[in-house]
Amino acid sequence: MDEYIGLDVSLKETAVSIRRGGKRVWRGKCPSDPQAIAALVRERAPAAKRVVFETGPLSVWFFHALTAQGVPAICIDARHAKAALDMAANKTDANDADGLAHLAEVGFYKVVRVKSFDSMLTRTLVAARTRLVRIGTELSNQIRGLMKTFGLVVPLVTGGKFERQVEALLIDNADLGRIVRPLMEAWRAVRLRAAELSRTLLADARRSDACQLLMSIPGVGVVTATSFLAAIEEPGNFRRSRSVGAWLGLTTRRYQSGEVDYDGHISRRGDSHLRGLLYEAATSLLTRSRTESDLRSWGLTLRERLGFKRAAVAVARKLAVIMHTMLTTGEPFRSTTAPA
């Protein structure tokens, strides 16, 4: 008889529940280690058909490690599972594992595509670079704010010019210099490491034909193209290009009940970082691009009718659709569409 297992994963321990024939036959805990869990599954449930756990910080590692051990692992959407798990009177790890095992048995869940380790490495590279750039910006702003208190206003410059301006203003302020210069040293170190990661990102993009293809779109740079590829992985993961916009949370919510039927704001689900990058690319296309295209003309027309923010969101969604289509067909971006 088939057996169904629910795993409520935490950092140290994982709650396990096993169901067979519509009843729970065993539950307990084990260390949050895929090898230990695989051994437990082989011992307690040799006929396991589904082993279900929710999305979380350990889900990528768990999925690939359990799959390598021959365990039929399935990662499901945590938001989808939450509605069912909230039905329990008491919120405990054991009850959550029971609920996940029940979902596995009845098949009421939404499978989440787990990314490969290569894609996660790329995402980690982009995230690390982005974080270092933000830390550098925060440090420079902190330095400006501290010096402004003493009447020393640093001009709006960046990079090496910023450093020279700060040093020039600190020449006659030794006491303040003892406080600000350690921050400047941290700023220089962060900026250096961010530049190293930027060079790595650029080198990887130059070796990728897919990245070069996506970067032919005005407003789409190295970070956006790389992040899009890491998120999509394979174009075949989506049956239709239009689905990518909804997957990234760039389509409007709809509420319909009886006589009430209206569209709300965008859902904002999926990869928030990539969604932000596409919005930035759309903003660049509408405001700074010198290349005329049907996409830009369409966006500018929407801006006149709906306002800039809504137009930028619409262009971002269209960009996601176009980028997926380009990856599917292998054709570069066309500024204008040939008349039929």
Side-chain angles (χ1 to χ4, degrees), residues 72-108:
I74 298 174
C75 185
I76 68 174
D77 191 341
R79 290 171 302 190
H80 189 111
K82 183 178 183 298
L85 298 182
D86 284 347
M87 297 298 293
N90 299 309
K91 173 70 171 69
T92 65
D93 291 344
N95 286 344
D96 286 349
D98 286 342
L100 291 172
H102 197 187
L103 292 178
E105 187 173 28
V106 300
F108 184 69

Side-chain angles (χ1 to χ4, degrees), residues 21 34 38 62 84 86 104 108 129 175 250 269 281 296 327:
F62 260 60
D86 284 347
F108 184 69
R129 175 196 170 275
D175 292 337
L250 289 167
R269 294 194 173 188
R296 186 171 189 272
L327 292 177

Side-chain angles (χ1 to χ4, degrees), residues 262-328:
Y262 65 86
D263 293 329
H265 298 289
I266 59 173
S267 64
R268 294 183 180 180
R269 294 194 173 188
D271 192 331
S272 59
H273 182 244
L274 178 56
R275 186 169 59 252
L277 290 174
L278 288 174
Y279 184 84
E280 290 180 10
T283 301
S284 176
L285 178 66
L286 292 176
T287 59
R288 296 191 294 272
S289 177
R290 298 182 180 180
T291 303
E292 293 297 329
S293 63
D294 289 344
L295 179 60
R296 186 171 189 272
S297 300
W298 178 74
L300 293 175
T301 302
L302 283 181
R303 185 180 67 176
E304 296 297 326
R305 184 162 56 92
L306 302 175
F308 180 79
K309 289 186 177 180
R310 290 185 177 182
V313 170
V315 173
R317 183 192 64 80
K318 186 74 73 173
L319 275 174
V321 175
I322 291 173
M323 292 167 76
H324 181 267
T325 303
M326 290 170 61
L327 292 177
T328 302

Side-chain angles (χ1 to χ4, degrees), residues 154-172:
V154 182
L156 294 177
V157 292
T158 59
K161 292 182 179 180
F162 170 76
E163 184 176 1
R164 288 192 294 270
Q165 290 287 345
V166 171
E167 290 296 336
L169 292 172
L170 292 176
I171 291 177
D172 299 326

Side-chain angles (χ1 to χ4, degrees), residues 188-205:
R188 281 192 292 267
V190 168
R191 189 164 174 262
L192 177 63
R193 300 308 177 191
E196 291 177 357
L197 293 184
S198 296
R199 287 192 292 270
T200 302
L201 191 63
L202 182 60
D204 292 344

Side-chain angles (χ1 to χ4, degrees), residues 165-231:
Q165 290 287 345
V166 171
E167 290 296 336
L169 292 172
L170 292 176
I171 291 177
D172 299 326
N173 294 272
D175 292 337
L176 182 60
R178 287 195 295 268
I179 300 172
V180 173
R181 285 195 174 92
L183 291 175
M184 285 297 301
E185 292 177 6
W187 175 81
R188 281 192 292 267
V190 168
R191 189 164 174 262
L192 177 63
R193 300 308 177 191
E196 291 177 357
L197 293 184
S198 296
R199 287 192 292 270
T200 302
L201 191 63
L202 182 60
D204 292 344
R206 286 173 175 170
R207 289 192 295 267
S208 172
D209 294 335
C211 272
Q212 296 298 316
L213 181 68
L214 295 180
M215 289 167 60
S216 65
I217 305 174
V220 176
V222 174
V223 176
T224 304
T226 303
S227 299
F228 188 84
L229 285 172

